[in-house]
Amino acid sequence: MSLFIAKRALSCLITIFIIITASFFTVRLAPGSPFSSERDIPPEVLNNLKAKYGLDQPIEKQFVHYLENLLQGDLGLSTKYPRSVNEIIAISLPKTLQLGTIAVLWALLIGISAGVFAAIRQNTAWDYSFMAIAMIGISVPSFVLGPILILVFSLYLYWFPPGGWGSFEHMILPGITLGTVYAAYIARLTRAGMLEIIRTDFVRTAKAKGLKESYIIWKHVMKGGLIPTITYLGPAIASMMTGSVVVEKIFNTPGIGPYFVDAAFNRDYFLIMGIVIVYSTFLLGMNFLVDLLYGYLDPRIRYD
Amino acid sequence: MTPLISVKGLKTYFRTDEGLVKACDNISFDVNPGEILGVVGESGSGKTVASMSILRLIAEPPGYFDGGEIIFEGKNLLKLSMKEMREIRGNKISMIFQDPMTALNPFLKIETQLTEVLVQHKSMSLDKARAKCIEMLKKVGVSLPERRLDMYPHQLSGGLRQRMMIAMALLCRPSLLIADEPTTALDVTIQAQILELIKSINQEFNTSVILISHDLGVVAGMTNRLVVMYAGKIVESGLTEDIFNKPSHPYTKALLNSIPRIDKEQKQLDPIPGLPPSLSSIPTGCPFHPRCAYAVEKCKTTYPETAFITSDHISKCWEVSRL
């Protein structure tokens, strides 16, 4: 087991290194520079700017320098904002994480319970309506769902603020908007996974033993039935936790999402790199966690 | 003798896209206390559906009971509520299945799967249940029972898994054990051990057994009485000895001719020509007539009446006298 963890950790490190290298150079390939603007900047100023950010060095030197700083936890300076990348992430990421947590909880709560319920009541009106709602949830994009929720719950019912940040209430609507599409996928996956297990011989055995229906679902079906859902949860949680540009824009959430887009537009080299590193670490970490969860859920999977 | 369980005129039908499937069509048989009843027939003859009907394990829908009754301890099992049925399943009537590889839950430890039966039916504490399970595992010939309890099914061999299934089925000392092809998925030496075990359980605990098999060789040495099924119907029943000595239905006869004998010189085996019919399109008259060497015109139109060879050896054939 520990050997497996060590192996996986090493392969994650290698993957991250490849991601860093690839994005470092591709970003530089994009036309334009952090300092291109409509007005020409005097050459002396431009040279000073380049020197400040180390962009006057040859590119391989810049890369080595970047890696050295990275190892010390320094992500560099933003070329657009008067802050370091570390500061920007430190301020915006926690907000995105809080929002993501709400979204994850919502997606899990609604998705798993709807999926399990639909599976138990397979081919009934409950099943059909839950799955129809899930289909709608998958189809409606967040830039439609968000404004609808604002209309209903903020402008009409006055339950939640329509946007901004500051209290728990501010997180509800964006959290739901972000989580709904995942909830819908989770519901469908959970239903399919549960149904697959419900049809197995060992569930028939459990029935032949005279066990209660609810006990059978909980004890005999859940563990195996949730495996497809868990597989999906790795990348899903990672993308919910890292937020959504669209949702954060709609609700004016000061999270990390909008920075990503702005950074790309502004060729804010170091900010792009910083956010890419945060995103990919998250994704790799979640997938790693999912692999470990498999072993817990299915005793036939052993990592040695 | 009052039978332990009495199946009378059981009709288990399924509504399918291909039409109505009469998986069990007017099935009647008794199981006496302490006896082993064999049910034989090809795949698709309805023997598994018959046994699943006793425990009401048929998926309803598409399955339903069109008639008949199953009398056990004075009650008609087909009329019981699901709650009453649960109290019988695994407690008074247990079942072991064909494939021990898939019949045990791969996600749960053996201990959980065994103790939950006692917790459910006898409201035992886990500690007490565990002790009881260890005792039972010793009885069914599992060595190192304490260690096996902590294992998962995939860590056990096929034979051991079937022993686990048997132990699980016997925990509540049921009066009837239904064994649905318990040895089909096992290799021959293990087969013999498992059959021996079932026989010794029958004698030691006085548990009645319904042994379902497609293998006449398996039932020959094991059973007291025999029911032969074909296309959802019982075509012959009687004492095992009588049926083997004087098979009184062309199907039974053909089955016996198609297995190798050690006591006779045989150049080649006689297979039964044709295929068993699909249960959604059973031939009219006697369902066996298209494959039967003795068939006459009457067999194509009219289902045979019961012919009594002896008082408890019956056959459903018009041409019994010619066999």
Side-chain angles (χ1 to χ4, degrees), chain A residues 109-124:
Chain A
L109 184 75
I110 298 298
I112 291 184
S113 40
V116 170
F117 195 77
I120 300 172
R121 303 261 186 278
Q122 196 203 354
N123 295 336
T124 62

Side-chain angles (χ1 to χ4, degrees), chain B residues 15-87:
Chain B
R15 289 192 185 90
T16 70
D17 294 339
E18 285 92 53
L20 190 62
V21 169
K22 299 181 175 181
C24 283
D25 193 8
N26 211 358
I27 298 286
S28 302
F29 61 82
D30 291 346
V31 184
N32 294 318
E35 82 168 343
I36 303 185
L37 174 81
V39 179
V40 287
E42 287 164 283
S43 333
S45 61
K47 47 195 196 311
T48 297
V49 173
S51 62
M52 304 252 283
S53 299
I54 294 176
L55 279 181
R56 299 264 304 276
L57 288 174
I58 301 294
E60 303 173 57
Y64 68 102
F65 298 106
D66 196 57
E69 47 185 21
I70 299 173
I71 306 296
F72 177 77
E73 294 184 340
K75 278 178 271 181
N76 181 0
L77 296 187
L78 298 185
K79 292 273 183 290
L80 292 187
S81 70
M82 270 305 146
K83 188 168 177 285
E84 292 169 304
M85 208 54 230
R86 273 206 306 271
E87 279 157 25

Side-chain angles (χ1 to χ4, degrees), chain A residues 19-258:
Chain A
I19 292 171
I20 292 171
T21 316
S23 34
F24 186 88
F25 289 102
T26 25
V27 165
R28 299 305 174 94
L29 282 177
S33 85
F35 315 114
S36 8
S37 61
E38 272 134 60
R39 279 187 301 124
D40 280 338
I41 302 173
E44 312 82 60
V45 177
L46 190 63
N47 284 338
N48 279 341
L49 276 171
K50 281 192 169 172
K52 182 186 173 196
Y53 295 102
L55 299 176
D56 52 347
Q57 305 279 324
I59 187 140
E60 11 7 296
K61 254 194 173 163
Q62 288 183 38
F63 182 57
V64 173
H65 188 63
Y66 183 76
L67 287 182
E68 280 168 6
N69 284 341
L70 188 61
L71 282 178
Q72 293 160 26
D74 180 5
L75 292 166
L77 294 170
S78 164
T79 52
K80 158 97 190 215
Y81 304 98
R83 291 201 191 98
S84 74
V85 174
N86 289 52
E87 275 174 329
I88 292 177
I89 291 176
I91 292 169
S92 60
L93 186 63
K95 290 163 188 153
T96 297
L97 287 182
Q98 286 172 12
L99 185 66
T101 310
I102 303 282
V104 168
L105 292 178
W106 168 257
L108 287 179
L109 184 75
I110 298 298
I112 291 184
S113 40
V116 170
F117 195 77
I120 300 172
R121 303 261 186 278
Q122 196 203 354
N123 295 336
T124 62
W126 286 107
D127 180 19
Y128 296 140
S129 37
F130 275 20
M131 285 308 111
I133 295 170
M135 207 62 233
I136 295 172
I138 292 172
S139 319
V140 174
S142 49
F143 58 81
V144 174
L145 181 64
I148 292 177
L149 291 180
I150 292 175
L151 267 176
V152 176
F153 293 102
S154 305
L155 304 184
Y156 181 68
L157 291 171
Y158 294 104
W159 287 3
F160 301 106
W165 196 252
S167 69
F168 182 68
E169 279 85 53
H170 286 96
M171 300 178 211
I172 302 292
L173 289 187
I176 289 177
T177 309
L178 181 58
T180 295
V181 73
Y182 298 96
Y185 271 114
I186 290 171
R188 295 184 69 87
L189 282 171
T190 305
R191 175 181 178 274
M194 297 286 287
L195 283 179
E196 197 175 305
I197 301 290
I198 284 174
R199 293 191 198 107
T200 56
D201 285 358
F202 60 81
V203 170
R204 186 185 60 185
T205 308
K207 284 184 192 153
K209 278 152 67 171
L211 302 173
K212 283 202 189 90
E213 196 79 10
S214 52
Y215 176 88
I216 293 177
I217 294 292
W218 190 248
K219 195 92 188 184
H220 284 262
V221 182
M222 279 289 214
K223 254 182 144 186
L226 284 182
I227 285 183
T229 312
I230 300 288
T231 312
Y232 173 67
L233 278 186
I237 290 182
S239 44
M240 276 187 273
M241 287 306 228
T242 45
S244 143
V245 181
V246 178
V247 172
E248 290 186 355
K249 280 267 184 203
I250 293 172
F251 290 94
N252 210 8
T253 310
I256 201 171

Side-chain angles (χ1 to χ4, degrees), chain B residues 233-244:
Chain B
K233 293 186 166 72
I234 292 179
V235 293
E236 185 174 359
S237 67
L239 292 176
T240 309
E241 229 182 290
D242 292 348
I243 291 182
F244 273 85

Side-chain angles (χ1 to χ4, degrees), chain B residues 270-284:
Chain B
D270 293 326
I272 308 177
L275 291 170
S278 149
L279 284 172
S280 57
S281 56
I282 294 172
T284 54

Side-chain angles (χ1 to χ4, degrees), chain B residues 134 137-138 141-151 156 160 164:
Chain B
I134 291 174
L137 287 182
K138 281 181 188 156
V142 172
S143 57
L144 304 170
E146 290 90 349
R147 264 185 57 199
R148 310 281 190 203
L149 278 182
D150 288 328
M151 291 185 171
L156 305 172
L160 258 180
M164 293 296 176

Side-chain angles (χ1 to χ4, degrees), chain A residues 266-280:
Chain A
N266 299 326
R267 306 280 184 273
D268 196 337
Y269 293 156
F270 300 108
L271 186 53
I272 296 176
M273 291 301 296
I275 297 176
V276 164
I277 291 170
V278 168
Y279 276 28
S280 45

